[in-house]
Amino acid sequence: KVLKVSVKMLEQAFIGGGKKQTYDSDSVVSKTLSKSKIMEAEVENNLDKYIESGETSAKYEGSVSLYGRETLYDFDLSYSVGKASYSMTITQETKTTGFWIFKRTKSRYVIDVMVSDIYDFDEYRTDKSLGSILNNWGYDMQQIGVIKPYAWEATYTVYGKWR
């Protein structure tokens, strides 16, 4: 159960041959990203911008550093993803229930999130932390061609509460 994303992404570097990986909302990668406190904060920040804008739909792009230790999800992402780019498309959907004078309209926000990066070991680190030791092992394996860098993207959707 520990470091599922780290294991999954490293496994792909060994066996994937450098091919792009797409992780849908049911994947361990997307599920872990969606539970990350860091990603939750990015969603909230962009949702606040969206609400202030008054637009019916908006797209936000940025980058995020996932070097957190607040939760196990963030810990796993710090070893597997590190830094990544994201895009979020936010819309508002409405529904009407009831009839006549009992008619009620509710709405909620729908946030489609896509996180992407290149999985690679692009630097040799000089400090002696566990993270650096693991990184340097990956860096050495990549330099001799045992593992191959690859592009990846993960998608998931966040649904707000009906109000």
Side-chain angles (χ1 to χ4, degrees), residues 74-123:
D74 292 321
F75 185 74
D76 190 3
L77 294 170
S78 71
Y79 281 111
S80 55
V81 175
K83 296 176 188 170
S85 298
Y86 70 80
S87 68
M88 295 181 195
T89 302
I90 304 176
T91 56
Q92 187 173 12
E93 72 181 13
T94 59
K95 72 176 180 178
T96 303
T97 58
F99 63 97
W100 193 41
I101 62 170
F102 304 106
K103 197 180 224 180
R104 300 276 186 256
T105 301
K106 294 181 177 184
S107 63
R108 71 175 177 181
Y109 299 106
V110 179
I111 303 108
D112 293 313
V113 181
M114 193 266 299
V115 181
S116 61
D117 196 19
I118 304 293
Y119 182 88
D120 65 351
F121 297 89
D122 58 354
E123 66 182 7

Side-chain angles (χ1 to χ4, degrees), residues 15-33:
I15 66 172
K19 294 179 191 161
K20 181 177 181 177
Q21 297 297 309
T22 302
Y23 302 107
D24 66 17
S25 60
D26 291 327
S27 71
V28 67
V29 177
S30 294
K31 286 179 178 180
T32 302
L33 283 162

Side-chain angles (χ1 to χ4, degrees), residues 9 12 14 24 33 36 38 46 48 50 56 59 69-71 73 77 87 94-95 100 110 126 132 140 145 157-158 160:
M9 294 183 104
Q12 281 306 132
F14 274 107
D24 66 17
L33 283 162
S36 159
I38 296 167
N46 287 312
D48 289 344
Y50 171 76
T56 57
K59 184 172 184 175
R69 300 283 192 270
E70 190 172 329
T71 67
Y73 303 115
L77 294 170
S87 68
T94 59
K95 72 176 180 178
W100 193 41
V110 179
T126 57
S132 291
D140 291 341
T157 302
V158 177

